[in-house]
Each structure stands twice: as structure tokens, then as C-alpha cells.
Amino acid sequence: MLIKTRSRRQMGISIFVCLCFLARATDSKNLACDLQDFTALVGFLNDLESGIGGWGNDSVADCCTWPGVTCEFVHHIANITLSRVVSLELPHKRLKGKLNKSLGGLEYLRVLNLSNNFFWDHLPNELFRFKFLEVLDLSSNDFIGNLTAEISLPSLLVLNLSDNWLEGLFSTGICGVASRLQVLDLSLNLFTDKIPQTIRNCSFLEVLSLGSNYFEGNLPEDLFQLSKLRELNVEDNQFTGLLSPNVSKLTNLVEFEISTNGFFGTFPDTFYNLRKLKRFSANSNRFIGSLPPSLTSSQSIISLNVRNNSLNGSIALNCSSMVSLISLALSSNSFSGPFPENLSSCKKLTSLDLSRNKFSSQLPESFKNLTSLSYLSLSNCSLQNLTATLAILQHCQNLSFLVLTLNFRDEVMPDYNHLQFSRLTTLVIANCPLSGSVPYWLQSCSNLQLLDLSWNRLTGHIPNFLGAMKLLFYLDLSRNMLSEEIPEGLTKLENLSNQNVTLVELSKDFYIFTSSSTARGLRYNLIQGLPPTLDLSSNHLTGPIMAEFGNLKQLHVLNLSNNNLSGHIPESLSNITSLETLDLSDNSLIGIIPPSFARLSFLSKFSVAFNKLSGHIPTGGQFSTFPESSFAGNEDLCAYKSTRCPSVPEEKPGENPIELEDEKVFVIGLPFATGAVAGFILVVTICYLSGWLFREEDTQKRVEIAWKRMFSTSH
Ligand SMILES: *[C@@H]1O[C@H](CO)[C@@H](O)[C@H](O)[C@H]1NC(C)=O
Ligand SMILES: *[C@@H]1O[C@H](CO)[C@@H](O)[C@H](O)[C@H]1NC(C)=O
Ligand SMILES: *[C@@H]1O[C@H](CO)[C@@H](O)[C@H](O)[C@H]1NC(C)=O
Ligand SMILES: *[C@@H]1O[C@H](CO)[C@@H](O)[C@H](O)[C@H]1NC(C)=O
Ligand SMILES: *[C@@H]1O[C@H](CO)[C@@H](O)[C@H](O)[C@H]1NC(C)=O
Ligand SMILES: *[C@@H]1O[C@H](CO)[C@@H](O)[C@H](O)[C@H]1NC(C)=O
Ligand SMILES: *[C@@H]1O[C@H](CO)[C@@H](O)[C@H](O)[C@H]1NC(C)=O
Ligand SMILES: *[C@@H]1O[C@H](CO)[C@@H](O)[C@H](O)[C@H]1NC(C)=O
Ligand SMILES: *[C@@H]1O[C@H](CO)[C@@H](O)[C@H](O)[C@H]1NC(C)=O
Ligand SMILES: *[C@@H]1O[C@H](CO)[C@@H](O)[C@H](O)[C@H]1NC(C)=O
Ligand SMILES: *[C@@H]1O[C@H](CO)[C@@H](O)[C@H](O)[C@H]1NC(C)=O
Ligand SMILES: *[C@@H]1O[C@H](CO)[C@@H](O)[C@H](O)[C@H]1NC(C)=O
């Protein structure tokens, strides 16, 4: 038994630490705390803006019992064994503050994990001098600055600095000292470096993740010397150049992600050697030519994503060889020729995106055989014969997500009651334009959550049965020629009335909004980002807006504009408290704007322009933010923001109708210039304009992080 005594001058306390060799294998909670470790931890604690539950500074000898702290016996100089802190793990604790330099005093630390907190400021250099540190995870914090510190961590195996605000150059000279580094994750920062040749020294590296930074230059040949690499992720950077055939040297590669960069040229036909490769994504680059045989006959690939390049030729997948293939995204290329019939023998295919290519002809009968298929997008494929297409696809029993937008030019919406799509959750057949009516076979789609038939030429009435779709949260029938009254059924949509909106679960590999693929924000599950919506605008609907619409309390977007609706604006709409967009413009509504609308605190887009409304414009709330154009074209409505509101309404002199017309167009933010794009994409545009998605890259990242935080803390 050994008794160690030290005095701690600052606090004037003496502590007695008992180290029992016999207790070696027992719980660290029974070990005593070393004074140096204690001092370091207290320094750390004192710099936090909040405390840490279970931590205190009075019971000096106890720090080994504090949550997140692990002590162990370690060999000290002269064969003396001490109880020291070897690991500090406090992820997801909502801790906020700077890292105190005194942490460097934890000289025996092997694991430091402070991921998913709110630490900020520069990383103290002292952190990079731990002799024994094996795992350093500071991911998902708010650290800033350059990593200029001399990184001297000879034992390091895992370094995760992902999702911070680090910038400037990153020297991979790190492996000069940390020669056994296995995992390096610098993704989601602001680094601007090239990958230096010294990366070659990281010869033990198994995972290298540099995604979502501003890295540039080529992938250096030295990278292909790292033969232990399992995961290589450089997506969403500014890399350029050809993809070297030497990529074949990375024989252990399982995941290879190079999407959203500036790579160009043809794919090297050297994938034969990558026998473990499961996921390859190279989307949103400038690759040309055809898919090389070594790729299209890979037995290991599960997911292949080359969408949004300039690939051409016909699609020649060798399905008898590609036995693992589950997800295939070839959209937004220049593939041509007849529809790739051979795909139908890839029996495991679950997700298939062929949109935005130039196939001719009908969907082949053999697609009936794709019984695993769950996600299918064929939008903008020059596809013909919707009747045949649906007749074939109804045999795909697992189909839940079907997008057929921008095909079937001028055909008729088939209306056979025997069509059965009971698993379908999402159906988009927009912008074809189809004639006919809203078909009755939709009644079989009882699981539908999203239905978009916008930008067609459908006539007749909106069927009442749509209201019985219990899960529907997004209905877009805008820009058709639908007439008659809005059926009462729509006011009973359960998923829009109840508190629990059930949302579609989408595979991450699947994209709907193919044309906007290069924008950063669009890589996320878009459907989940879509607001609960009812859009019946630009039809010929008549009759009143039923008061029962106020039941749709979950609605975020209600657009009934550009119809022939009459009667009063029901006051009950002010019960839809989450409403963000309300457009009733271009109808024949009379009466007042209910003053209770001022309670709609999320309302950011509002228009009642070009109706026959009268009375006062509500004051307060969001109403102080709406532009004059929101109310234009209502002759009897009091002058906007006018302090003087005459009891007898008078004509406002000097208004320029053309100017108003222009503004009206942009009230709801629909850029009509993009008429060639699907109505669905318009939704995205609205999302942009209303802040659901963002354009500026840096702001974008900050917002993304804010969202991530919000979701991770709310669960
Ligand atoms: C670290 O904490 C100690 C003790 O609370 C304090 O005296 C010191 O100023 C802090 N150092 C830094 C760099 O914040
Ligand atoms: C630690 O001690 C200081 C001064 O003695 C005190 O102000 C502080 O509240 C203590 N912190 C905790 C977490 O007990
Ligand atoms: C440490 O112990 C080893 C045997 O376990 C011994 O050979 C060595 O001399 C000791 N060193 C010191 C400095 O006591
Ligand atoms: C850090 O802790 C989190 C949460 O427990 C865990 O998911 C993560 O894998 C840890 N980091 C490392 C490098 O082990
Ligand atoms: C790094 O941390 C982030 C966030 O905590 C996590 O998502 C990621 O998987 C980690 N990277 C590695 C390679 O484990
Ligand atoms: C940090 O990086 C930024 C951006 O690259 C650069 O402008 C700045 O000079 C760097 N600062 C230091 C201290 O290296
Ligand atoms: C890389 O390793 C070589 C020896 O293998 C060494 O000479 C060189 O200094 C190392 N480079 C760096 C940046 O550490
Ligand atoms: C591939 O590697 C070999 C040997 O390592 C080298 O000679 C060749 O130049 C490399 N190929 C390219 C395209 O750089
Ligand atoms: C479906 O596959 C079977 C063999 O698995 C084949 O005999 C049949 O012709 C295929 N059906 C179509 C419509 O191609
Ligand atoms: C659509 O396909 C069906 C079945 O293949 C065929 O009978 C019909 O003639 C086609 N219609 C048109 C307009 O090509
Ligand atoms: C919402 O879901 C919760 C749990 O999933 C359930 O307890 C609650 O009754 C549901 N509310 C409504 C209005 O359906
Ligand atoms: C709003 O909803 C409440 C309860 O759901 C109801 O009592 C009230 O009448 C509604 N308000 C209007 C104006 O319809």
C-alpha cells in the first residue's frame, strides 16, 4: 500500500489518496482523485456557463466518481502506480463555454469526448499535447479558428472535429506524430486546404472524412497509397480533376463519396479491384461518358449514385452480376435510347431514380418484376402512355413513392377503377399536362401522404373522397381547370387536423427535386421539409370558403388564390395557428378581413388582393409587415396603413395598376418565369423564399447546424 500526500497551496487543503494495488481491476468509482486531475477538472468546470450534474468542488478526493470521469491506475515514473483520470466523456450534455487550458493537466487522458455540446472559441494548444490520448472527439461544437497548433498526439487513433467552424489550412503533417491515426473526421467545417502529399504518412488511416468544407485541388496520388482506407468521403467540396485509375489501389474501400465537387472526365474502368465497395456516390460533378463495365458489374455495390453529371449512352447494367444493388440513382444525365429494360432483372432494387434523361418509348412490361421497388422517380424521361405505365407499376407491390412528373405530353389521366396502389404514400404526376379528371382509382391509395397533380389540365370537380385519406398532409391540385365547389371532405383531412402529423420517411438516397440538385440544402429529406399544405390555386373553383377549413389546424400553407370563390372570409381560419402562408387573392370574396387574423403569429405571406373586400385592414401582429400589394385591388378596403380611414370608402387616386400587377405576382413568391419546371419544384422555390431552404452557403451551414441542434435537443 502506498500513501501519497501533496499540499495544494491555493486552497490550502491537504488530501490523502489511498491507492490499493489489489483494487486494480475494480470499478474506477472506488479510486481516489489525483490532485492535478482535480485541479484540471475544476478549472474546466469553472469556465462553463452551467454546471455539470454530479460535479462539485468541495469533495476533493471524489473526482473519479463524477459523471463522465473515469480513473484508472497508471504507471508513473519510478514504477509508482497512480490513480489518474484516463477518460472524460461528456457528449450531449448541453455544456456551454470555453475549454479551459487547465484540461491539459489531465496528462494521462486516453479518451476526451465532448461531442454535441456548445463549446466555443479557439481550441487550446494544450489539448494537442496529450501523450496517451487515443480518442479526441470534439465534433458538433462551435469551435472557431485555424488549427495552427502543433498537433503532438503520438497515441492518437481517432480525431473527430466534425461540425465546427474551423477554417484555414489543415496540415496533415498530423500523421508525422500521430502515426497510428485510424479515423480522421474534419467534415462540416470551413477548411480551404488542398490535401497535402503528407497524407501518405497516415498509412493506418481507415476513415477519412473531409465532406462539406471548401477543400480544393486534386485528390493527390498519395491518397491512393492509404490501402487500409474503408471510408473515403470528400463530398461537397471544391475538388476538381480526373478520378485517377489508381483509386483501384484502395482495395479495402467500402464507402466512397465524391459527390458535389468539380470532378470531370470519364470514370476509370478500374473498379474490379474494389471488391468490398458498397456505396459509391459521385453525383453532382461533371463526369462524362458511360458507366464503366467494372462498375456496372460490381457484385458488392449496394448503392450507386451518379446523378447530375453528363453521362450518356444507354444504361447497360449487368444485373446478373450486380446481385447486391438496392439503390440506383442515374437521374439528371444524358442517358438515352430505349427504356433500360435490363434493369428489371435487378430484383433487389428498392430505390430507382431515372428522372431527367432522354429515353424514348414506354415503360417495359418487365418492370412488373421489380417487386422490391419502393421508390421510383421517372420524371422528365420522355415517357409515354400513362395508362400502360400505371397498369405495369401497380404490380410493384411495395411501391410507396412514385414521381412521374413532366412526361406523357397531352395524354388523358386514366380513370380505371381497377388500378390498385394501396402502398403508395407519395404520388406526383405534375406538369404533363394531362386532361381528364382527378381519377377515382386514387381511392385505393388510402396511405397517401402527399399528392401533387398540379400544372395539368384536369377538369371536373375535386372528389370528396380525398378528404378520407387519413395520412394526407400535402395536397397540390393547383394550376388545373377544376371547377365546382371545394368539397366539404377536404376540411376533414385527419392528418391536417390532428396534433400528430405523420410524415413520410424517405430514403436518404432519394431525391425529388432533381433540377435544383446543386444547392446544398437540397440533399436532405425533402418531403420531411415540406410544410403541411393545401394548394388549390389557379383553378375554376366556385362557392364559399367553408368555415370548417378552420379545423385544419396543422396547415402551414393554404392557397386558394386565383379561383372564383365567393362569400366571406371565414373567421375560423384564425384558428389555424401554424399558418405561414395564406393566399386568397384573385377571387370574389366580400366582407371584411377578420380582425382575429392578427393572432396568426407565424403568418409571413398573406394576400387577399383582387377581391371585393371592404372595411378595415386588421392591425397589429404580422399585419404590420405585409406590403400594400397584399391588399391591392379591393376598392372598398381602407387605405393600407392609413391613419385616416373614411367611413365612406373613397377611391384612392394615383395608383398605378401595372405596378400593382407586378407586385401581385410576387406576393406569394411564385416566379412564373420557371413555368417549365414542375409545380413541385415551385414548392421548393417557395421554400427558398420562405426560408425553408437557403441559398447562401455559409448562412446555410449555420442554419443547418441550428436545425440539427433543434432536432437533437427536442428529442
Ligand atoms: C481556467 O480555470 C482556472 C480555475 O478556475 C482559472 O483560474 C483560469 O483563469 C482559467 N483559464 C482560462 C484560460 O480560462
Ligand atoms: C466551487 O467553489 C467556488 C468557490 O469556492 C464556488 O463559488 C462554486 O459555486 C463551486 N462550484 C460548484 C459546482 O460547487
Ligand atoms: C521497475 O520494475 C522493474 C521490474 O518490474 C525493474 O526491473 C526496474 O528496475 C524497476 N525500475 C525502477 C526505476 O525501480
Ligand atoms: C463520443 O460520444 C458519443 C455519444 O456517446 C458517441 O456516439 C461517439 O461515438 C463518441 N466518440 C467516439 C470517437 O467514440
Ligand atoms: C464524428 O462526429 C459526428 C458528430 O458527432 C458523427 O456524426 C460522425 O459519425 C463522427 N465521425 C466518425 C468518423 O465517427
Ligand atoms: C486562418 O484562416 C483564414 C482563412 O483561410 C486566414 O485568412 C487567416 O489568415 C488564418 N489565420 C491564421 C492565424 O493562420
Ligand atoms: C512522413 O514520413 C516520412 C518518413 O516516413 C518523414 O520523413 C516525413 O518527415 C513525414 N512527414 C511529415 C509531414 O511528418
Ligand atoms: C498510378 O500509380 C503509379 C504507381 O504508383 C504511377 O506510376 C502512375 O503515374 C499513377 N497514375 C496516375 C494517373 O497518376
Ligand atoms: C419476370 O421474371 C421471370 C423470371 O424471373 C420471367 O420469366 C418473366 O418473363 C419476367 N416477366 C416479365 C414481364 O418480363
Ligand atoms: C398504351 O399501351 C397499351 C399497352 O401496351 C397499348 O395497348 C396502347 O395502345 C398504348 N397507347 C398509346 C396511346 O400508345
Ligand atoms: C398523438 O400521439 C401521441 C403518442 O403517439 C398520442 O398519445 C396522442 O393521443 C396523439 N394525439 C392525437 C390528437 O392523435
Ligand atoms: C376555434 O376553435 C375553437 C375550439 O376548437 C372553437 O370553439 C371556436 O369556435 C373556433 N373559432 C372560430 C372563429 O371558429
Side-chain angles (χ1 to χ4, degrees), residues 246-257:
N246 282 340
V247 72
S248 63
K249 291 180 183 168
L250 301 177
T251 52
N252 284 302
L253 216 51
V254 175
E255 283 192 31
F256 188 29
E257 319 257 352

Side-chain angles (χ1 to χ4, degrees), residues 472-531:
L472 202 65
F473 82 96
Y474 187 103
L475 176 61
D476 189 352
L477 300 176
S478 66
R479 306 213 157 244
N480 279 287
M481 300 190 289
L482 300 167
S483 54
E484 301 181 32
E485 298 194 0
I486 302 172
E488 197 189 345
L490 288 194
T491 67
K492 303 207 166 96
L493 283 166
E494 201 169 310
N495 214 1
L496 289 174
S497 319
N498 282 345
Q499 271 176 354
N500 302 342
V501 179
T502 323
L503 293 182
V504 182
E505 279 184 27
L506 249 192
S507 111
K508 271 198 174 160
D509 283 352
F510 210 79
Y511 302 81
I512 324 168
F513 308 112
T514 51
S515 74
S516 317
S517 53
T518 47
R520 285 192 165 202
L522 293 176
R523 288 178 302 125
Y524 295 96
N525 281 356
L526 283 163
I527 288 214
Q528 303 203 346
L530 287 176

Side-chain angles (χ1 to χ4, degrees), residues 38 43 153 157 248 250 299 331 346 379 382 558 583 655-656:
F38 172 79
L153 300 167
L157 301 175
S248 63
L250 301 177
Q299 297 186 6
S331 55
C346 289
S379 57
S382 314
L558 177 59
D583 190 355
E655 265 188 356
N656 180 349

